Amino acid sequence: MEITWGQALHRNFLGQSPDWYKKLLLAFLVINPLLFFFVSPFLAGWLLIAEFIFTLGMALKCHPLLPGGLLTLEAIAIGMASAEQVKQQLADNLEVLLLLIFMVAGIFFMKQLLLFVFTRLLLSLRSKVLLSLTFCLAAAFLSAFLDALTVVAVVISVAVGFYQIYHRVSSDPDYAAADPDQRATLEQFRAFLRSLMMQAGVGTALGGVMTMVGEPQNLIIAHAAGWDFASFFLRMAPVTVPVLLGGILTSLLVERFRLFGYGATLPDAVRVILLQSDREEKAQRTRQDRLKLWIQAAIGLWLIVALALHLAEVGLIGLSVIVLATALCGVTDEHTIGQAFTEALPFTALLTVFFAVVAVIVEQQLFSPLIAFVLQAEPHAQLSWYYIFNGLLSSISDNVFVGSVFINEAKQAFAHGAIDLRQYELLAVATNTGTNLPSVATPNGQAAFLFLLTSALAPLIRLSYGRMVWMALPFTIVMSLVGFVSLHWLLEPVTDILQLWGWIATPPM
């Protein structure tokens, strides 16, 4: 029997999302204009922020672009912000959009090299402690120069490939006789992959906080402060280097003592299967395939040098990677090139919605009371409060959204003379570290973590939301506390020393 028009409308609206979620969003859309026109625009603006953060937290129920987009479209329509203000926010953050569009797509054409590197690591290192630490550090290094989400996507591809190889062999009836304890082997293999994925995910946070291209909000902060790649790294170093050391120590301890779900080793039966598969693939690799690996390695070196010397805007460097990788590796088909952009564009569209919410915050001056509270404190205490507020909000929502809002408010305070240039730059450090470090607490805060949770790998290795939070807990505690202590005790004196040596510019008096 054909459904009614009402049933068709109900099914079409937000698709397979739960009914309670659909009804709640409709309630938001009804309440917002009533509150804006008849009660208080200020309260309506704060309710919009809470609703938007809620859509981020419910990303597993529905991609936040849809409900967030509906909320912001209504906000613009009723006058909470103007379309011109949204355009201004996008123009001010064009570099971030170019980063997501071109850099992520560029790395797509280097996946062959990255897959090769991670495969060699997994099969070459027998010690689980050393393997986990290597995965963590490799992800940290790559995330310092590439997009963290792309790095996690590569590691996911490696893990899925290994799981599929084992599953294909273990499904053979003849294999069951060779491994009578096959169920236990599978569970141990899943635990092994879970720990490696979480180590790599934490590594992207440790490395991503250190450079202006590690996370999208880093580029927003760097652009607002006028820092290049080297300046950003040096100004963050008093906080990020101690945090990196704390993360390394935590990685070693949780693996060594098998804490919080870590410590599982690769079963011998699985290692034999993976090594056999690797030998077969190596035998089939042609001279043309090996040449592609060398070309991609050279392009990776160019990427690092171009970013370190700031030879061009980050997004344009990413575009150069696309041109070089496709031209030199023989990728000429439009469909193949188009696939490279499918990973970045949904998040790019969502980031545009972020900036629309930022436009509402600017026009309604929603953060003015919070910023006024922070600025009433002593300059040194302002850093702590900025770090705490950014950390708390980033752990429950997206750190790109939080970072862009807080750096914008600090910039406004500097423009109006409420703080000097030195304090503004220190607040930029507090904003960047606050959004990047405590946000590992939940998948909501890190786009790379959320990507992992929603990937095809997560159900295969039994990686749920709660398990991710539990496995991230030791890193959350250590990274957040070390970051706070470093910000409180090391940032200002080390920054003064770097300025004295001439490594970073001294703000004019």
Side-chain angles (χ1 to χ4, degrees):
M1 184 176 65
E2 188 174 3
I3 61 175
T4 66
W5 286 105
Q7 290 173 325
L9 178 63
H10 177 268
R11 293 183 182 181
N12 284 345
F13 181 66
L14 298 185
Q16 299 298 317
S17 302
D19 287 347
W20 66 264
Y21 187 84
K22 297 180 180 182
K23 293 176 182 178
L24 188 59
L25 181 63
L26 289 174
F28 289 161
L29 294 173
V30 171
I31 292 172
N32 288 349
L34 296 176
L35 190 63
F36 180 75
F37 288 116
F38 300 108
V39 181
S40 168
F42 185 82
L43 291 178
W46 269 107
L47 180 60
L48 176 68
I49 293 176
E51 292 166 352
F52 186 68
I53 291 176
F54 172 78
T55 64
L56 294 175
M58 294 290 106
L60 296 181
K61 303 296 183 184
C62 178
H63 192 284
L65 175 63
L66 283 65
L70 289 174
L71 291 171
T72 52
L73 280 174
E74 182 187 66
I76 304 302
I78 64 178
M80 295 179 74
S82 65
E84 187 64 29
Q85 179 65 248
V86 177
K87 176 186 174 182
Q88 185 62 44
Q89 291 295 328
L90 293 175
D92 291 342
N93 295 283
L94 179 62
E95 291 85 353
V96 181
L97 299 177
L98 292 177
L99 164 70
L100 290 174
I101 295 172
F102 292 130
M103 187 62 79
V104 175
I107 303 308
F108 175 87
F109 296 106
M110 295 177 61
K111 274 188 175 182
Q112 187 177 359
L113 173 65
L114 296 174
L115 286 169
F116 175 80
V117 171
F118 279 104
T119 301
R120 295 267 62 77
L121 289 176
L122 194 147
L123 295 179
S124 302
L125 298 175
R126 303 279 305 205
S127 169
K128 178 59 189 310
V129 174
L130 182 59
L131 176 63
S132 296
L133 179 61
T134 304
F135 255 66
C136 183
L137 291 178
F141 176 79
L142 291 172
S143 296
F145 295 96
L146 314 175
D147 179 72
L149 189 148
T150 304
V151 175
V152 169
V154 170
V155 183
I156 289 174
S157 299
V158 174
V160 169
F162 284 150
Y163 188 91
Q164 289 175 342
I165 291 170
Y166 172 72
H167 180 71
R168 183 173 63 250
V169 174
S170 63
S171 299
D172 190 331
D174 295 334
Y175 178 78
D179 184 9
D181 202 9
Q182 186 175 346
R183 185 66 186 177
T185 299
L186 177 59
E187 291 304 319
Q188 183 179 343
F189 186 39
R190 283 170 172 166
F192 171 80
L193 291 178
R194 279 199 304 268
S195 62
L196 277 189
M197 292 307 307
M198 289 301 297
Q199 291 277 9
V202 170
T204 63
L206 291 171
V209 69
M210 302 184 81
T211 67
M212 62 184 289
V213 296
E215 292 283 352
Q217 74 271 16
N218 298 19
L219 194 59
I220 297 173
I221 295 168
H223 178 66
W227 297 334
D228 59 17
F229 189 91
S231 297
F232 187 95
F233 173 81
L234 290 172
R235 289 184 178 276
M236 297 298 159
V239 180
T240 56
V241 171
V243 168
L244 176 62
L245 297 176
I248 291 173
L249 180 60
T250 306
S251 173
L252 293 172
L253 291 176
V254 295
E255 289 289 352
R256 173 64 181 80
F257 296 102
R258 298 175 176 267
L259 304 173
F260 294 91
Y262 294 92
T265 57
L266 179 63
D268 292 335
V270 179
R271 178 179 292 277
V272 171
I273 293 173
L274 297 181
L275 285 172
Q276 178 63 29
S277 175
D278 182 63
R279 283 193 292 267
E280 294 174 358
E281 182 179 343
K282 185 177 180 179
Q284 296 173 359
R285 189 175 296 136
T286 65
R287 184 171 296 175
Q288 182 180 4
D289 294 330
R290 292 194 293 270
L291 179 60
K292 288 181 180 179
L293 292 177
W294 283 108
I295 291 173
Q296 291 174 20
I299 295 173
L301 182 61
W302 147 253
L303 174 63
I304 294 173
V305 172
L307 289 173
L309 300 180
H310 199 63
L311 299 181
E313 285 297 336
V314 176
L316 298 181
I317 295 174
L319 180 58
S320 74
V321 170
I322 295 176
V323 174
L324 292 172
T326 52
L328 299 180
C329 293
V331 180
T332 59
D333 178 66
E334 180 181 357
H335 177 70
T336 304
I337 296 174
Q339 288 179 343
F341 294 89
T342 57
E343 292 182 3
L345 289 183
F347 191 71
T348 305
L350 179 60
L351 193 62
T352 303
V353 175
F354 287 171
F355 292 137
V357 177
V358 172
V360 173
I361 292 172
V362 171
E363 292 207 3
Q364 301 298 325
Q365 298 182 338
L366 300 181
F367 277 61
S368 296
L370 179 61
I371 300 301
F373 168 77
V374 173
L375 296 180
Q376 286 175 358
E378 294 294 325
H380 189 70
Q382 292 175 8
L383 303 180
S384 300
W385 281 116
Y386 241 68
Y387 181 87
I388 291 172
F389 285 141
N390 276 274
L392 290 175
L393 290 174
S394 294
S395 64
I396 61 173
S397 66
D398 190 273
N399 50 14
V400 180
F401 169 67
V402 176
S404 61
V405 168
F406 271 81
I407 194 61
N408 182 71
E409 292 297 330
K411 188 175 183 179
Q412 292 295 322
F414 170 63
H416 291 93
I419 56 176
D420 59 19
L421 179 58
R422 170 184 167 81
Q423 184 67 7
Y424 171 57
E425 291 178 335
L426 294 175
L427 287 176
V429 176
T431 302
N432 184 69
T433 53
T435 54
N436 276 287
L437 300 178
S439 58
V440 301
T442 68
N444 303 341
Q446 291 272 349
F449 277 39
L450 190 61
F451 183 74
L452 171 59
L453 182 65
T454 56
S455 69
L457 176 65
L460 296 179
I461 61 176
R462 305 298 187 263
L463 185 60
S464 63
Y465 187 101
R467 180 168 273 168
M468 283 191 73
V469 171
W470 175 248
M471 296 183 73
L473 182 59
F475 293 95
T476 303
I477 295 173
V478 172
M479 292 166 61
S480 300
L481 291 180
V482 173
F484 181 83
V485 171
S486 301
L487 186 80
H488 192 78
W489 294 103
L490 296 179
L491 177 60
E492 294 184 73
V494 174
T495 299
D496 291 339
I497 293 174
L498 294 176
Q499 289 173 346
L500 182 64
W501 291 348
W503 288 19
I504 57 178
T506 303
M509 300 301 293

